[in-house]
Amino acid sequence: MTEEPAVYFSSFVVNCVLNAFLSYNTILLNIVTIHVLRKTPSLPKTLKTLLFSLTISDLLVGLLVEPLHIVLLVKEMHQDTSSKVYTTMLTAFLIMVNFLSSASFFSVVAISADRFLAIYLHLRYQELVTSKRVFIGTISIWIFSASFSISGFRWAPENRRYIIFASIEVL
């Protein structure tokens, strides 16, 4: 069953407009969040580091992933999907999506673990969860996310990539 060309075209246009709107809001609101995190002295430094990591990953989605998605949609709308430029852009898009979604996901997990430890350990929390350890953990999250997203494209067959990414995130 094929779609009508007008419906097909209008879905691309609506998707492009929504992505442009969401990209703008993502950039603006994450910049505001970064500013608020810098100006709020009452938050612990460890929590600020983790929230900053999450905000940066979301900001990069708005700056890189959503505009690239719009470009890919426009190329698909013009049926220019057989060129080498399109395939390169699609590969870069998928790597960035996997990288930033992994970084974002693991930052949320780290924030949850930090808050759990703050409640569970109570008085020993500041002794065990130091700024240096949280910083090292945050850098590890970004390095793991980058290496995982790049290596996932080298050794995983295309139809199994998403199963592998989903399995690791569930674990």
Side-chain angles (χ1 to χ4, degrees):
M1 232 173 126
T2 60
E3 291 184 350
E4 297 280 329
V7 173
Y8 188 67
F9 179 77
S10 65
S11 68
F12 274 109
V13 171
V14 167
N15 201 346
C16 286
V17 169
L18 283 175
N19 270 294
F21 176 73
L22 291 174
S23 177
Y24 174 75
N25 285 332
T26 300
I27 293 167
L28 185 66
L29 293 175
N30 279 298
I31 288 173
V32 168
T33 305
I34 290 170
H35 179 69
V36 167
L37 284 174
R38 290 182 59 216
K39 296 289 183 180
T40 307
S42 61
L43 283 177
K45 189 173 181 184
T46 55
L47 182 60
K48 272 188 184 182
T49 303
L50 294 171
L51 288 172
F52 188 71
S53 172
L54 179 62
T55 306
I56 291 297
S57 66
D58 290 344
L59 178 64
L60 289 174
V61 167
L63 286 172
L64 302 173
V65 173
E66 289 179 354
L68 188 55
H69 184 64
I70 293 170
V71 171
L72 289 171
L73 285 173
V74 169
K75 285 203 165 284
E76 288 175 14
M77 191 168 46
H78 291 296
Q79 298 175 348
D80 185 23
T81 58
S82 59
S83 68
K84 184 160 176 71
V85 173
Y86 176 81
T87 359
T88 305
M89 287 173 56
L90 182 63
T91 302
F93 171 76
L94 292 173
I95 288 173
M96 282 191 293
V97 164
N98 289 325
F99 167 56
L100 293 172
S101 65
S102 296
S104 185
F105 175 78
F106 290 122
S107 293
V108 169
V109 169
I111 291 168
S112 299
D114 178 66
R115 296 296 81 204
F116 171 76
L117 290 174
I119 292 170
Y120 184 73
L121 296 176
H122 193 55
L123 296 175
R124 293 184 48 213
Y125 171 77
Q126 290 182 348
E127 176 186 331
L128 296 174
V129 181
T130 62
S131 296
K132 184 178 179 182
R133 288 179 182 167
V134 170
F135 183 75
I136 290 171
T138 303
I139 296 299
S140 300
I141 285 172
W142 282 86
I143 290 172
F144 174 76
S145 297
S147 61
F148 180 66
S149 65
I150 291 171
S151 67
F153 275 86
R154 293 192 169 246
W155 55 265
E158 190 169 326
N159 58 349
R160 294 188 185 175
R161 285 183 194 147
Y162 298 107
I163 295 170
I164 293 169
F165 289 123
S167 301
I168 289 180
E169 287 182 358
V170 166
L171 289 175

